[in-house]
Amino acid sequence: MSTFAVGDEDFLLDGRPVRLLSGALHYFRVHEEQWEHRLGMLRAMGLNCVETYVPWNLYEPEPGRYGDVAALGRFLDAVGRAGMWAIVRPGPYICAEWENGGLPHWLTGPLGRRVRTDDDAFLAPVDRWFRVLLPQVVARQIDRGGPVVMVQLENEYGSYGSDLGYLRRIEELLRDCGVGVPLFTSDGPEDHMLTGGSVPGVLATANFGSGAREAFEVMRRHRPAGPLMCMEFWCGWFDHWGTEHTVRDAADAAATLREILECGASVNLYMAHGGTNFAGWAGANRAGDLHEGELRPTVTSYDYDAPVDEAGLPTEKFWRFREVLGAFTEGPLPEVPEPPRRIAGPAAAEPVAWAPLGEVLEVLGDAEAVAPVPPTFEELGVDRGLVRYRLEIPGPRRPYPLSVSGLRDRAVVYVDGVRAGVLASEDAVLPEPVAGPAVVELWVESLGRVNYGPRQAEAKGITGGVRHERQYVHGVRARGLRLAAFGTEAVRRLPLRPVGGAEAAGPGLYRAVVTVSGEPGDAALSLPGWTRGFVWVNGFCLGRYWAAGPQESLFVPGPVLRVGGNEVWVLELEGGAGTGVVLA
């Protein structure tokens, strides 16, 4: 068995200096049948190590009910078979442009700003979670014959808080759970972030995208000894809905990578391969330097302009990085794996049947809650999906403005069954005044919980109230429709009707069957004419689509498709039926 340690200047493998050439690959953003290919691409680029986060909320949807936690162990086994080391970042907070930064909604809802502090109400669930998760890591540490060489303590905590007692509690918990490999923290190379997020006696690393020499000079002011490492070299970036696609020049990124390595440092490419935010797990940010402005939801693709693109293909950045990394490795680099198979040719179909959104809610929705004021998503137990709020405005009364305060994030509003507008700001007013009596329905969708900054842990839904003129409208019926409810058997219970019948097709769930000929492979799914919603292929949720762009199609992993008919369900939330669904 080998040992891995933090030396005075270098990382030490069995006492010998070693440099970590790592790349981020989040296993939960890649179909499991494609892990091996993506790891092969990282090896061929010149990397010897893989880094991954672990999203708590993916595995514990409600307290004490756990999903496929063993997926992490299977991934680490795949890393070992690929001949690479592994760095694991279990959180509990991970950022990662992931819903709520990986924290469960059932925890952040009641605790709010108490999360990520030395508060037993937060740390007790963390303790329970780590004792379920960490055996997957402990059994695969390098001194037990596995690939794991380091484990992160929290994540970029200096960008959020300064509670050293909390960080010490996480350190103690990791050790008590059996983590024996070196621990580390990672923060921006700024004094206030390093003083807030570092822990005495624990390796500190830096996250940045440029200015390596300056960043490492700051690190040395704080830590005169120990190996230097850029734990997140931001070689690309992510996109938000309604903005321009972000790219980084390959030559510029390669030059910064070379600069990092010439400083004698280890590096972790963030991201080496980004993957996809399947199943609506994309997070959101707040605009502005202090991250307190308008909501900016992250797109479904997590391509990240990475050297290995979302479909697993090498980009220009891959070849430039391979050239740089090759100069810092011994011996020839492995051959680049063959590209994944694509479908033989385009395949398209029109939606043939559908059910209106109200009927979908009746069959798949949660029980209705009745309250004086609108309950939040968290109070209703809704993580990803939408909530219908129904209110009655008393009458008779003349028309007044109808406003919503604390709206998070987007509402399609109906008055007496007629669509009256779409509200998209926290404090919004319908375009036209409303007279009473009237029945008002607000279909509110969460566009992703904030994953970074001081607005993390904020509630979703209508967090303030609904007012008619200055008067709050009390007496609210609220019913959640969770994405998790759209199982293959569940949707078959829906009473469908033909598309194109007497009733105009509006928001609802649509069914199409796309025939794929030849051997299935990866594909891109486009939805011409559709507005906003979610899509499933053969029961696998690809994630959110939105005509706002910049993402124009959704990645479909080849293992999801089959020869012949492929069932596609489109949950359209804002418009009507598009012209079809296209695989290419």
Side-chain angles (χ1 to χ4, degrees):
M1 302 300 178
S2 295
T3 62
F4 187 87
V6 173
D8 291 337
E9 296 182 356
D10 302 291
F11 293 115
L12 302 174
L13 179 67
D14 296 329
R16 294 177 290 104
V18 65
R19 189 200 300 254
L20 295 180
L21 302 176
S22 180
L25 191 166
H26 300 158
Y27 68 97
F28 48 91
R29 284 178 159 134
V30 179
H31 194 285
E32 184 166 351
E33 293 184 31
Q34 298 182 326
W35 287 348
E36 182 179 351
H37 174 267
R38 303 304 193 262
L39 289 167
M41 292 296 293
L42 269 56
R43 284 279 289 130
M45 187 165 48
L47 302 179
N48 59 23
C49 185
V50 178
E51 171 267 308
T52 187
Y53 280 123
V54 184
W56 180 5
N57 52 6
L58 179 64
Y59 296 117
E60 194 176 1
E62 56 189 52
R65 182 168 72 85
Y66 299 102
D68 185 15
V69 179
L72 173 61
R74 296 195 301 273
F75 177 71
L76 294 175
D77 290 340
V79 172
R81 290 193 300 271
M84 305 178 77
W85 298 312
I87 297 170
V88 181
R89 305 168 81 183
Y93 161 79
I94 64 170
C95 183
E97 291 70 60
W98 188 262
E99 161 88 2
N100 218 21
L103 297 178
H105 71 285
W106 49 260
L107 186 57
T108 59
L111 292 187
R113 289 176 297 168
R114 293 165 62 191
V115 302
R116 303 178 72 190
T117 66
D118 190 2
D119 187 316
D120 286 340
F122 177 68
L123 287 167
V126 173
D127 184 291
R128 183 182 67 222
W129 162 237
F130 272 12
R131 294 187 188 281
V132 171
L133 172 70
L134 289 177
Q136 300 292 328
V137 178
V138 171
R140 295 168 174 86
Q141 295 178 112
I142 192 166
D143 60 353
R144 301 192 184 189
V148 178
V149 294
M150 289 203 299
V151 171
Q152 181 169 272
L153 192 167
E154 238 277 348
N155 182 60
E156 294 184 314
Y157 189 71
S159 298
Y160 179 79
S162 58
D163 190 342
L164 180 59
Y166 162 65
L167 295 178
R168 283 295 194 196
R169 292 277 297 274
I170 297 296
E171 178 189 14
E172 292 166 2
L173 177 58
L174 290 168
R175 293 305 189 198
D176 191 57
C177 288
V179 175
V181 295
L183 302 179
F184 68 93
T185 59
S186 67
D187 289 285
E190 300 183 37
D191 291 335
H192 67 292
M193 294 181 180
L194 289 167
T195 54
S198 299
V199 178
V202 174
L203 175 70
T205 66
N207 300 340
F208 56 83
S210 60
R213 289 183 175 83
E214 293 82 358
F216 289 137
E217 287 174 2
V218 175
M219 293 298 298
R220 279 296 181 230
R221 288 206 308 269
H222 288 261
R223 294 294 177 89
L228 292 172
M229 183 166 187
C230 177
M231 186 52 66
E232 291 186 13
F233 165 44
W234 303 319
C235 56
W237 206 245
F238 52 92
D239 290 335
H240 293 123
W241 290 112
T243 64
E244 295 295 321
H245 175 53
T246 303
V247 296
R248 179 173 182 179
D249 179 75
D252 174 70
T256 301
L257 175 59
R258 185 181 298 278
E259 181 185 359
I260 292 171
L261 299 177
E262 288 176 347
C263 290
S266 291
V267 67
N268 179 51
L269 309 180
Y270 194 99
M271 298 290 295
H273 169 63
T276 309
N277 294 311
F278 295 121
W281 283 108
N285 295 93
R286 289 283 179 179
D289 292 341
L290 298 180
H291 303 275
E292 294 185 303
E294 65 180 14
L295 189 80
R296 291 183 174 174
T298 302
V299 302
T300 296
S301 171
Y302 202 63
D303 178 86
Y304 209 87
D305 192 33
V308 180
D309 72 10
E310 184 177 14
L313 302 177
T315 66
E316 179 188 356
K317 198 173 289 181
F318 173 92
W319 298 111
R320 288 183 178 268
F321 281 15
R322 178 177 159 96
E323 180 181 357
V324 172
L325 292 165
F328 291 86
T329 59
E330 296 181 1
L333 296 180
E335 292 295 320
V336 178
E338 290 294 317
R341 184 172 51 244
R342 301 285 297 188
I343 60 171
E350 296 180 359
V352 295
W354 79 297
L357 192 55
E359 295 182 12
V360 176
L361 179 67
E362 288 301 315
V363 175
L364 302 182
D366 297 336
E368 188 170 69
V370 181
V373 298
T376 65
F377 276 44
E378 289 73 14
E379 290 167 333
L380 293 169
V382 176
D383 56 352
R384 295 155 297 123
L386 61 156
V387 170
R388 184 193 67 187
Y389 296 93
R390 177 178 285 170
L391 310 93
E392 295 185 9
I393 298 175
R397 58 175 67 183
R398 66 183 181 87
Y400 287 113
L402 187 78
S403 61
V404 182
S405 59
L407 173 63
R408 303 183 188 136
D409 297 306
R410 191 175 180 91
V412 180
V413 184
Y414 298 85
V415 177
D416 291 330
V418 178
R419 179 163 157 168
V422 177
L423 305 180
S425 59
E426 286 211 39
D427 297 297
V429 182
L430 270 184
E432 298 295 331
V434 177
V439 175
V440 177
E441 288 187 354
L442 302 98
W443 292 80
V444 178
E445 180 190 358
S446 166
L447 297 177
R449 287 180 174 83
V450 170
N451 52 257
Y452 179 86
R455 296 288 292 269
Q456 191 189 0
E458 65 186 8
K460 290 294 187 180
I462 298 177
T463 65
V466 179
R467 285 180 291 175
H468 197 223
E469 203 254 357
R470 77 199 67 181
Q471 181 187 80
Y472 280 105
V473 182
H474 289 121
V476 181
R477 296 182 177 274
R479 191 169 186 185
L481 182 60
R482 295 172 293 109
L483 290 188
F486 287 81
T488 301
E489 296 304 318
V491 296
R492 298 195 191 285
R493 303 201 309 268
L494 290 166
L496 302 180
R497 64 202 69 185
V499 175
E503 183 179 5
L509 187 65
Y510 291 81
R511 181 179 182 270
V513 177
V514 182
T515 300
V516 172
S517 58
E519 196 71 22
D522 292 348
L525 177 74
S526 57
L527 295 154
W530 304 84
T531 303
R532 179 177 56 87
F534 295 88
V535 61
W536 290 256
V537 175
N538 295 329
F540 184 90
C541 185
L542 300 180
R544 177 182 282 112
Y545 67 88
W546 196 350
Q551 184 173 352
E552 298 179 349
S553 63
L554 298 174
F555 175 67
V556 185
V560 170
L561 297 175
R562 54 185 177 234
V563 177
N566 291 266
E567 194 171 42
V568 179
W569 292 90
V570 181
L571 179 64
E572 172 60 48
L573 299 176
E574 196 162 315
T579 57
V581 296
V582 181
L583 288 172

